[in-house]
Amino acid sequence: MESIAVKPSVLRNILVRFFFFCVLIVGIRFAYIVTIRGESCDVGDFCFFSLPENLNMVTVIGQLSTSSSAIIVNDAVPPKPKTPDLWATKGFQNAVRFYSSIFQDLISEGYLSPNSKSLCVETQTGPEVFALKEIGVSDSIGIFKKASKPLVISGQATKQPFKHNTFDFVFSGAGMLDKSSKPAEFAAEICRTLKPEGFLVVHTAAKDTYSFNSFIDLFNCCTLMRSRDIDGFDSSMPYIREIVMNKGGEIGILGHGTKNPGGDSVNECSVSGHKQELIRKAEPVIIEEPSKPWITLKKNLKNIKYLSSMVDISFKQRYVYFDVGARSYGSSIVSWFKKQYPKQNKTFEIYAIEADKTFHEEYKYKKGVTLLPYAAWVRNETLFFEINQDPGHKEVEKGRGMGRIQPAQLESSSVGDVDKIKGFDFANWLKSVISPRDFVVMKMDVEGTEFDLIPRLFETGAICLIDEIFLECHYNRWQKCCPGERTSKYQKTYGQCVELFTSLRASGVLVHQWW
């Protein structure tokens, strides 16, 4: 009898333990879904509280401030528990109202539809996605480096986690393309994931014509549909330029007036109106020959209006500085370009072109600078390099890097120090390393060879690739050492230098008088 009484107690203990085990399993599953996943159960998941598939509640934005539970629930994709607190903030609400208005305009214009599969690039918290869903564009998602589910998933603008031709509509707001350190890669990824005939809309803070043309150049997959200026919704971006583009064929927009049909370069440059406008804003060319050029030209530095101080250069593919006749590393690369040129926080590739072998060794230890130990010339050939023996440089060492070049088949008339060096076709080389989408700055101090190099740049069309030139023009100037005497080193006159400067500006190249 005693053994019979024990059996129910054992059975009851087993049942109680089994019950608690089931409760534990449910609790673990609940904790996983709510705290780890932070989102709803998928179809087929082990859930006890999944929402009906047909539930689609759209709340009024104004109610968010009074209820932390007022959210959009779309196709059984509820947000994380903490997300409504963010959505209830005034900043988020203002952003949603602003973007809702923007997207409704785009729908009325035919650039967006409720059926558009849409992507918002570089949106941190997703007010753009929220706005799209609110107006009925349900198939919308955002990407940012850190996810903010359910509106934003993890992804980079320059490396999107999507297949080719995925989206009908892509939006980039808040000037995120302006801030990108890799605008060309940013644009290329949009071109990759946007469907043919899809629409791209970008909000940028850059409003000058130069930056607008640079922007168009980036998106060679698209054609411009319209551009308009609108007011922003907060102080971080009070004025916005909205640009709408359509992905058509692979139509290249080269810009800079350079055309390249069928791979054959056409060397003539057409001057864009916006470039001429910038040149009109630049400091005037000094027409009258200065009696003390070493003083006048240095004072002129204060008057120079740099291109990058007048326009936004954010939408360029690369940033390149060429120092032609660089001399030593500290001569102008460090003392002027690195310290004084306004680079808008862009990292420039630097090329130093210097024929004088005296300076070559020091460049071996300079990072970020590529040395070309040759003479910039009009063709590939061997040259004589004559070290300066001008009266203004009685010490030979001070005159290093300031020599003249001439073809090697000609006898040197000087009794000075002469080296045999290699010259290269600078214009054709420039075309091989630079794209019209690059921002190119050049300093040229080549001891009179500018009268050979500049015409060659025009002849080949390479001049179209240069945005800004700082040119020292060498002529038979008055001597500092010898009052009333002109240098015999150069045969050109100051008037010929003025003609050189004016011809460059007439061709749309912003050139500055240098010393």
Side-chain angles (χ1 to χ4, degrees):
M1 295 295 294
E2 183 177 349
S3 61
I4 295 175
V6 170
K7 288 183 180 180
S9 176
V10 173
L11 182 60
R12 185 167 52 253
N13 289 338
I14 293 173
L15 290 174
V16 169
R17 290 180 181 180
F18 179 75
F19 173 76
F20 280 115
F21 177 76
C22 292
V23 170
L24 179 63
I25 292 298
V26 173
I28 292 173
R29 178 59 180 171
F30 178 82
Y32 169 75
I33 294 170
V34 174
T35 64
I36 304 300
R37 291 280 302 277
E39 54 189 55
S40 67
C41 297
D42 298 322
V43 176
D45 278 344
F46 181 59
C47 303
F48 293 100
F49 49 87
S50 59
L51 295 171
E53 291 185 4
N54 60 353
L55 180 60
N56 188 354
M57 180 180 67
V58 180
T59 63
V60 180
I61 288 293
Q63 295 175 347
L64 287 175
S65 59
T66 59
S67 174
S68 62
S69 62
I71 59 171
I72 293 177
V73 180
N74 189 356
D75 295 332
V77 186
K80 292 181 180 181
K82 293 183 179 180
T83 303
D85 293 336
L86 169 66
W87 291 358
T89 62
K90 184 177 180 180
F92 191 91
Q93 293 177 38
N94 288 340
V96 171
R97 291 191 190 97
F98 172 76
Y99 289 120
S100 293
S101 175
I102 292 296
F103 295 140
Q104 288 177 47
D105 288 345
L106 293 170
I107 287 177
S108 67
E109 294 173 300
Y111 301 127
L112 176 64
S113 79
N115 297 321
S116 296
K117 187 177 181 65
S118 303
L119 171 67
C120 296
V121 184
E122 290 288 273
T123 173
Q124 185 171 0
T125 57
E128 304 98 314
V129 184
F130 194 115
L132 283 168
K133 290 179 177 291
E134 185 194 39
I135 64 172
V137 187
S138 58
D139 193 357
S140 304
I141 194 65
I143 58 170
F144 193 70
K145 59 184 177 182
K146 183 178 181 181
S148 180
K149 293 184 178 181
L151 300 178
V152 182
I153 64 173
S154 178
Q156 299 178 31
T158 56
K159 193 175 181 180
Q160 297 179 18
F162 308 111
K163 296 180 179 179
H164 290 63
N165 305 325
T166 298
F167 298 98
D168 304 292
F169 177 83
V170 175
F171 179 76
S172 174
M176 297 308 294
L177 182 53
D178 307 33
K179 303 168 187 174
S180 174
S181 60
K182 300 178 179 178
E185 293 182 25
F186 194 118
E189 274 295 89
I190 289 178
C191 286
R192 183 184 69 81
T193 58
L194 184 63
K195 290 180 181 179
E197 305 304 324
F199 290 99
L200 163 68
V201 177
V202 176
H203 282 184
T204 170
K207 299 185 70 174
D208 62 86
T209 309
Y210 183 92
S211 65
F212 175 77
N213 281 271
S214 301
F215 173 90
I216 297 300
D217 286 352
L218 279 180
F219 291 92
N220 63 337
C221 66
C222 298
T223 54
L224 177 67
M225 302 304 293
R226 73 155 169 81
S227 172
R228 66 168 182 167
D229 293 333
I230 58 177
D231 293 330
F233 64 92
D234 61 21
S235 59
S236 66
M237 202 171 175
Y239 304 106
I240 295 171
R241 169 173 279 182
E242 181 177 84
I243 301 173
V244 181
M245 306 190 79
N246 175 244
K247 183 178 178 180
E250 296 297 320
I251 303 174
I253 306 174
L254 297 180
H256 293 270
T258 307
K259 297 182 180 179
N260 190 11
D264 297 325
S265 62
V266 177
N267 298 329
E268 295 182 359
C269 300
S270 60
V271 182
S272 301
H274 72 277
K275 286 193 172 184
Q276 289 293 357
E277 181 61 30
L278 289 171
I279 290 171
R280 284 191 286 271
K281 294 179 180 178
E283 77 285 352
V285 173
I286 301 172
I287 302 299
E288 185 176 350
E289 180 183 359
S291 58
K292 296 181 179 180
W294 56 91
I295 296 177
T296 303
L297 293 176
K298 286 189 176 182
K299 283 184 176 180
N300 191 49
L301 177 62
K302 299 177 181 179
N303 301 323
I304 286 178
K305 294 184 178 179
Y306 298 99
L307 178 58
S308 56
S309 67
M310 295 189 285
V311 300
D312 188 336
I313 63 173
S314 298
F315 297 127
K316 288 298 185 178
Q317 179 174 265
R318 295 161 61 210
Y319 304 88
V320 189
Y321 171 61
F322 294 97
D323 197 324
V324 188
R327 302 189 73 200
S328 67
Y329 176 69
S331 178
S332 56
I333 293 176
V334 171
S335 65
W336 169 68
F337 184 74
K338 286 197 170 185
K339 291 183 178 180
Q340 298 183 44
Y341 187 82
K343 292 179 277 294
Q344 295 187 14
N345 295 319
K346 306 300 181 183
T347 300
F348 278 70
E349 300 173 35
I350 298 176
Y351 288 85
I353 302 171
E354 176 53 57
D356 194 336
K357 60 185 180 182
T358 304
F359 302 109
H360 294 172
E361 186 69 22
E362 68 175 285
Y363 282 100
K364 292 182 179 180
Y365 309 102
K366 306 303 180 185
K367 295 182 179 180
V369 180
T370 300
L371 172 68
L372 275 70
Y374 315 109
W377 186 231
V378 297
R379 53 187 167 270
N380 299 323
E381 65 176 344
T382 301
L383 302 167
F384 277 135
F385 182 82
E386 180 184 359
I387 301 306
N388 179 49
Q389 296 294 326
D390 191 79
H393 293 281
K394 294 182 178 179
E395 295 182 43
V396 174
E397 193 60 33
K398 288 186 177 180
R400 299 294 311 196
M402 301 177 69
R404 296 172 293 175
I405 62 174
Q406 55 182 301
Q409 62 266 26
L410 300 178
E411 292 293 333
S412 175
S413 59
S414 169
V415 294
D417 187 6
V418 177
D419 290 331
K420 186 175 287 189
I421 59 172
K422 291 183 179 180
F424 71 106
D425 189 335
F426 175 66
N428 276 332
W429 173 81
L430 192 68
K431 291 174 68 176
S432 71
V433 297
I434 294 299
S435 159
R437 298 190 186 97
D438 299 333
F439 183 76
V440 179
V441 179
M442 181 181 295
K443 188 225 78 178
M444 182 178 287
D445 180 6
V446 287
E447 300 301 307
T449 310
E450 62 270 13
F451 285 97
D452 299 292
L453 292 180
I454 297 297
R456 176 63 176 167
L457 290 171
F458 275 103
E459 175 190 338
T460 59
I463 197 71
C464 305
L465 301 171
I466 306 171
D467 292 275
E468 191 169 22
I469 299 181
F470 297 84
L471 174 64
E472 179 173 352
C473 187
H474 299 80
Y475 64 98
N476 57 344
R477 65 175 65 183
W478 298 110
Q479 292 296 287
K480 183 178 181 180
C481 66
C482 316
E485 292 185 19
R486 290 183 181 272
T487 178
S488 59
K489 182 178 178 181
Y490 309 109
Q491 302 304 312
K492 300 295 183 180
T493 66
Y494 186 78
Q496 289 174 298
C497 284
V498 171
E499 289 178 8
L500 191 61
F501 287 117
T502 54
S503 67
L504 281 165
R505 289 195 172 187
S507 299
V509 180
L510 180 58
V511 62
H512 308 282
Q513 289 171 291
W514 213 235
W515 72 91

